Structure formats: C-alpha cells, structure tokens
Amino acid sequence: MPSAAHPDPVILVHGLAGNQNDNWQTMAPYLADNGYCVFSLTYGNMASMPRPFDEIGGLADMTKSAQDLAGFVASVLAATHAPKVDIVGHSEGGTMPDYYLKFLGGSAVVSKFVMLSGVPHGTTFWGLSDLYELASAYGYGSQANALSSFCASCTEFLVGSSFMKTLDAPNAQATAAEAATCPYDGAAVDGVSYTSIATEFDELVRPYT
C-alpha cells in the first residue's frame, strides 16, 4: 500500500515491443526498496500469438492501449484507495499515456507523468516518415500500411501521423494566442506535472527534441 511519504502509487508503462517484465527489472525493485508502491502492466500484446510472441507488447493501436491503461489505473486506485497515481513510461510508454491524459479522463487521476525517451511529437526515424508519405503519394499506400497489420502503433509514431496530429492539436484549454505561439502545446493538460528525460543521442527518436 502507498506510504505517507509516497502517497501516489507508481505505474510503470513499458515501451514498444517490450513488456512489464523485461522493461522494469531494475527500476521496479529500486522504487519499491525506496518506499514506493509500484505497479506495472503489459499492454498492446497479441494474446492469441504463440509464446513468446504473445508477450511482445505495445503493438496495438495506441488509442486502444490508452483504454487498457485507463482500466489498469482504475484498478490500482480501487485496490490502494489512493486518489491519484504517478506514471513512469519508457518510449511508447512515454507517449501513449498522453492520449489517456488528454482524452480519457486521466488528468483527473494522474499527478505526475515522467517520460523516459518518449516520442512527444513523433519521429522521422531517419527519414522513414518521408518515405512513408512518398509511398502513399505514389500509390503504394497498401504496401506502406502492411506494417500496421502487425504493429498498428509503429506508424502512429511517425511525424505527421493522424495519431500525432491528434495529440498535437491545440488544447481546448489554451487561448487562441497560446495556440498561435505554441502549436505543440496540445499533449499537455492542466493538473498533471510533466517530466521528459531525453538524450540528443537517441537513435530512434529523431529529432530527439
């Protein structure tokens, strides 16, 4: 149960192609040893696949994974009787929760969101986003979309994807002036404390900003 020193349970959210076991073998016990009440989940995996492929998480559409996260947060709150939780997410886990916070009521029950190498505005992935757009423009959209049949979230990470445009759309809470001067304010919502930890040497999130 949460302690007086750390009243918010911490929910660990893994990255693309990870799961709650392989992503958090170091951090989960470290946090627990320091007095935090820690939970984790595996989301976006294909349970119908044979082992070990059924344990590969983060493959589903991120809007669906955000719904799974919402249900998990609700279960943690019910089990701990805590009013709010903190979320620590890596890679996709530092991106998908934004949808939960902005569109599924997460901002009311999440105190802090810590992103470890998240993808806040999409990635060009060394030009893959441009190649994807060119393929669609020249009639190869079905081939370009073939990846989505196995990994729906993969193309959602690309700069300019409909998912990223939805997240980056100016927040309804923002004034017109704020939206004009800060077009990328859309993912952040009031009531949540955000921390983004990134590195300029990130090989997947390009540009790292």
Side-chain angles (χ1 to χ4, degrees), residues 154-176:
C154 288
T155 53
E156 291 176 331
F157 282 114
L158 298 179
V159 168
S161 72
S162 60
F163 181 83
M164 286 299 167
K165 287 179 179 178
T166 298
L167 281 186
D168 279 339
N171 195 322
Q173 299 168 338
T175 66

Side-chain angles (χ1 to χ4, degrees), residues 8 24 33 35 39 54 57-58 78 81 91 117 130-131 138 144 155 167 172 186 191 194 204:
D8 297 335
W24 305 116
D33 289 345
F39 295 83
D54 63 330
H81 305 290
S91 187
S117 295
D130 293 337
L131 182 63
Y138 283 91
T155 53
L167 281 186
Y194 292 83
L204 297 179

Side-chain angles (χ1 to χ4, degrees), residues 33 37 75 87 166 179 196 199 209:
D33 289 345
C37 183
S75 68
I87 292 177
T166 298
S196 179
T199 169
T209 52

Side-chain angles (χ1 to χ4, degrees), residues 14 17-21 42-59 150:
H14 64 77
N19 58 51
Q20 63 180 328
N21 297 315
T42 295
Y43 66 89
N45 56 313
M46 299 181 181
S48 60
M49 295 283 285
R51 285 189 176 276
F53 303 106
D54 63 330
E55 298 178 1
I56 301 175
L59 302 179
F150 174 72

Side-chain angles (χ1 to χ4, degrees), residues 170-189:
N171 195 322
Q173 299 168 338
T175 66
E178 289 171 337
T181 58
C182 186
Y184 293 116
D185 69 346
V189 293

Side-chain angles (χ1 to χ4, degrees), residues 66-208:
Q67 295 169 11
D68 293 342
L69 177 60
F72 188 79
V73 171
S75 68
V76 169
L77 293 174
T80 61
H81 305 290
K84 290 192 174 186
V85 302
D86 296 333
I87 292 177
V88 177
H90 169 245
S91 187
E92 182 177 352
T95 304
M96 175 272 290
D98 273 327
Y99 191 92
Y100 162 59
L101 294 172
K102 184 174 181 179
F103 298 108
L104 302 181
S107 60
V109 293
V110 174
S111 178
K112 301 178 182 70
F113 179 28
V114 180
M115 298 163 275
L116 307 175
S117 295
V119 195
H121 305 302
T123 174
T124 62
F125 195 57
W126 304 100
L128 181 60
S129 61
D130 293 337
L131 182 63
Y132 188 82
E133 289 185 5
L134 283 172
S136 299
Y138 283 91
Y140 294 97
S142 59
Q143 290 89 336
N145 288 321
L147 177 61
S148 298
S149 62
F150 174 72
C151 178
S153 66
C154 288
T155 53
E156 291 176 331
F157 282 114
L158 298 179
V159 168
S161 72
S162 60
F163 181 83
M164 286 299 167
K165 287 179 179 178
T166 298
L167 281 186
D168 279 339
N171 195 322
Q173 299 168 338
T175 66
E178 289 171 337
T181 58
C182 186
Y184 293 116
D185 69 346
V189 293
D190 288 344
V192 181
S193 173
Y194 292 83
T195 301
S196 179
I197 300 173
T199 169
E200 62 182 302
F201 303 108
D202 198 311
E203 296 180 343
L204 297 179
V205 184
R206 307 296 303 174
Y208 75 96

